[in-house]
Amino acid sequence: DDLQEALKDSFVHLGFDSCEAAVVLLLGVRLVAAASHSARGIVTIHAGGEGSDSIIQFGSSEGVGEPTTLCVELEESPAGQSVVLFSGDVGLGCEEIATTATSWLSRGQCRSGCAALLERARSSGAEGSLVAVASRITWAPSSSSPKRPRTEASSSQVRCRHILVRHAACKQPFDKVRRKAVKRSSEEAEAILLKVLRELEAAGELSGPSASGAKASSVSAAFTTQVRAISECESSLKGGELAGDLGWLDPSKKHEKAPAPLAKVAVGLQVSQVSDIVATDLGLHILKRTA
């Protein structure tokens, strides 16, 4: 109660009670949230396996100015939890919102989950300004061993392929592969990459390291096909499995041939894993770690 009251007072002090706003604070295993006006949020507690997810909603769709608050104690489960905050009249129920975003969030693709949510809202007739943000909360497995486990991601250098889609607001709005100016908006570029991710998912590409043998070859071919068809980076012209190759990336080095955000995301991927949509000054990207 004290945490909820403190958050509500902070909303008023910062002036959030006079506009649409939603805030979530995570204090250990305790999640405290507040929303004002028509801003809302949902917390999904993932059951994992064959269980049913639990959905908790906060905020009001009736445009109430006084902040509504929520305090919930989360479970430290391997399946984790996800949080989606949104403002504007999305015209979707909380279960529909959770269903739309959950598959993306379960893979850590939060930006893609938000893009899919807003796309569904627009297709359902939603108008006006819409905003969505999301985060996935996961818990590291407890270990009695003082030694730090060795993981693939601990390497300072990783190798990736990528798909780049430029937009009019990026640093170089010119497709060097097809030699033409790029006039699309960033929202349109995001929609293109969201479609690419859906096609990669259909091909089994988003299953990551679990693919093997003939399936692995098919999955890799699917990414190559998308690189050649969509990417506006000259690396897409490389032959075979090197199409879209960025070479070795090291986030500790200042002068990389790839923008810094790409190297930062790349080291967090497992080999064969596909990233969320990543924004840089060159446009929007999807990465796949290869080594």
Side-chain angles (χ1 to χ4, degrees), residues 212-232:
S212 61
K215 183 178 179 181
S217 298
S218 175
V219 160
S220 183
F223 193 86
T224 300
T225 298
Q226 294 295 331
V227 170
R228 297 202 183 284
I230 302 296
S231 186
E232 295 171 340

Side-chain angles (χ1 to χ4, degrees), residues 48-61:
E50 299 180 357
S52 299
D53 294 345
S54 300
I55 301 171
I56 304 171
Q57 180 179 352
F58 60 94
S60 172
S61 59

Side-chain angles (χ1 to χ4, degrees), residues 172-209:
Q172 300 174 355
F174 186 81
D175 181 351
K176 296 181 179 180
V177 178
R178 297 158 190 85
R179 300 188 178 279
K180 63 179 183 179
V182 172
K183 299 180 180 179
R184 70 174 70 90
S185 66
S186 60
E187 291 79 8
E188 290 171 326
E190 191 173 64
I192 290 171
L193 288 184
L194 190 64
K195 182 180 179 182
V196 168
L197 284 171
R198 285 180 173 134
E199 292 184 4
L200 291 176
E201 180 180 26
E205 181 71 62
L206 302 191
S207 60

Side-chain angles (χ1 to χ4, degrees), residues 153 156 158 160 249-253 256 258-269 278 287:
S156 61
V158 297
C160 282
L249 304 178
D250 186 345
S252 66
K253 294 183 178 180
E256 281 287 347
L262 294 187
K264 184 177 180 180
V265 170
V267 295
L269 299 174
V278 183
L287 296 176

